[in-house]
Amino acid sequence: MTLPQSHKPVENSPEEKKAGEIRRMFDSIARRYDLLNRLLSAGMDIRWRRDMVRLLAPRDGERFLDIAIGTGDVALDIFRWNPGKNITVLGVDPSLEMLRLAAKKIEKSSVPAGSIALAQGTAEALPFPDACFDGITVAFGVRNFSSPAKGLREMFRVLKPGGRAVVLEFSHPRLNPLKWFYQLYFKNVLPLVGGWISGNPEAYRYLPDSVGAFPVREEFKQLLLQAGFGNIEYRDRTFGIVTLYSAIK
Ligand SMILES: C[S@@+](CC[C@H](N)C(=O)[O-])C[C@H]1O[C@@H](n2cnc3c(N)ncnc32)[C@H](O)[C@@H]1O
């Protein structure tokens, strides 16, 4: 697998500066990212991505874009849960360290050679022409966009008419006892363990902060509507720890 050439994006505006900080943060935690995902979600992240791929419902001959591909789990799961289908996936992410790990995992996997390609880039400026994908996935990525509204508009642009977008993102649990326990875990235990294992405490303090500040359910639906999407549905998973959104162009 050939990796995209490293390039240093310009960082002039506040938005570009924020994007640079986020990219460097993910570069720094990439090596421990998978381990921490499994550990901190008690393995539930595997089930959440499987549900996401089910909702995407890939068909033979389709071409997908996985935004914020990270270490490649969603792209690999698209093949894992759809064996024998002739599918291609393009993964995009600004973090070169994440892309390096994704490339290694893809090479070791049983996915047919050339079925997953990788590109360095951000959701806010997707390096692809209009209307070229049948479906788009973003797992735990939208929250990190320097401009979610711009990223969603770009997703709409590169989707074919009738194409579908599926977004998986952390949410805010609604049930009271669980909400209390979750806040305690998410705001205290997770930053401590994540910071210690990754060596970057700031990154695992950023996680609960960014989730707390992110618009969920009806508010996120409004962002999808404003980007042009229709047929928007959402459903909670695991008592509302995460929410899965689907939308059609
Ligand atoms: C929490 S990880 C999720 C990775 C993967 N989708 C998963 O399910 O494990 C977030 C990813 O978003 C990427 N990211 C950050 N800012 C982004 C942007 N503006 N556009 C696209 N991806 C971005 C990061 O580099 C990181 O790999």
Side-chain angles (χ1 to χ4, degrees), residues 44 48 169-187 208 211-212 214 216-217 236-243 245:
M44 285 185 293
W48 296 333
E169 195 47 90
F170 282 111
S171 221
H172 308 153
R174 297 198 236 221
L175 289 173
N176 255 332
L178 183 84
K179 211 165 144 179
W180 181 83
F181 174 77
Y182 177 78
Q183 294 291 347
L184 188 79
Y185 174 74
F186 215 57
K187 290 202 170 138
V211 172
F214 192 71
V216 300
R217 303 187 184 98
D236 284 347
R237 286 284 176 272
T238 321
F239 309 110
I241 292 176
V242 297
T243 303
Y245 303 85

Side-chain angles (χ1 to χ4, degrees), residues 50-243:
R50 182 202 59 194
D51 292 350
M52 176 181 211
V53 172
R54 279 197 184 144
L55 198 57
L56 182 71
R59 293 186 283 263
D60 227 12
E62 286 191 318
R63 185 171 188 239
F64 298 104
L65 173 65
D66 182 36
I67 299 181
I69 185 173
T71 59
D73 282 352
V74 173
L76 287 167
D77 279 356
I78 289 178
F79 290 89
R80 180 176 174 199
W81 302 116
N82 293 280
K85 283 191 189 155
N86 173 24
I87 294 165
T88 50
V89 178
L90 220 153
V92 69
D93 199 290
S95 160
L96 215 66
E97 290 308 315
M98 286 288 198
L99 290 171
R100 282 205 181 101
L101 289 165
K104 271 195 200 150
K105 279 164 72 177
I106 293 162
E107 225 159 57
K108 277 197 205 146
S109 76
S110 56
V111 169
S115 305
I116 305 180
L118 300 173
Q120 191 184 22
T122 64
E124 294 85 343
L126 290 172
F128 312 113
D130 297 354
C132 63
F133 295 102
D134 298 287
I136 298 182
T137 48
V138 198
F140 308 112
V142 182
R143 186 173 34 89
N144 302 301
F145 295 176
S146 51
S147 166
K150 232 188 228 178
L152 293 177
R153 280 202 300 274
E154 275 291 88
M155 286 165 60
F156 188 82
R157 178 184 67 77
V158 301
L159 265 181
K160 294 178 186 171
R164 53 236 193 252
V166 184
V167 174
L168 172 63
E169 195 47 90
F170 282 111
S171 221
H172 308 153
R174 297 198 236 221
L175 289 173
N176 255 332
L178 183 84
K179 211 165 144 179
W180 181 83
F181 174 77
Y182 177 78
Q183 294 291 347
L184 188 79
Y185 174 74
F186 215 57
K187 290 202 170 138
N188 299 286
V189 181
L190 182 144
L192 213 69
V193 178
W196 178 56
I197 296 182
S198 71
N200 185 344
E202 192 50 47
Y204 283 84
R205 274 197 295 271
Y206 162 82
L207 175 59
D209 289 350
S210 62
V211 172
F214 192 71
V216 300
R217 303 187 184 98
E218 278 302 305
E219 280 180 61
F220 187 66
K221 181 177 173 175
Q222 288 308 314
L223 285 185
L224 285 163
L225 275 171
Q226 283 158 18
F229 286 100
N231 296 69
I232 302 160
E233 287 178 14
Y234 60 85
R235 61 209 75 181
D236 284 347
R237 286 284 176 272
T238 321
F239 309 110
I241 292 176
V242 297
T243 303

Side-chain angles (χ1 to χ4, degrees), residues 26-40 71 98 101 194 196-200 204:
F26 280 106
D27 274 342
S28 82
I29 62 164
R31 219 166 43 88
R32 293 292 165 93
Y33 177 78
D34 283 352
L35 168 73
L36 278 165
N37 262 358
R38 297 302 103 78
L39 193 72
L40 295 172
T71 59
M98 286 288 198
L101 289 165
W196 178 56
I197 296 182
S198 71
N200 185 344
Y204 283 84

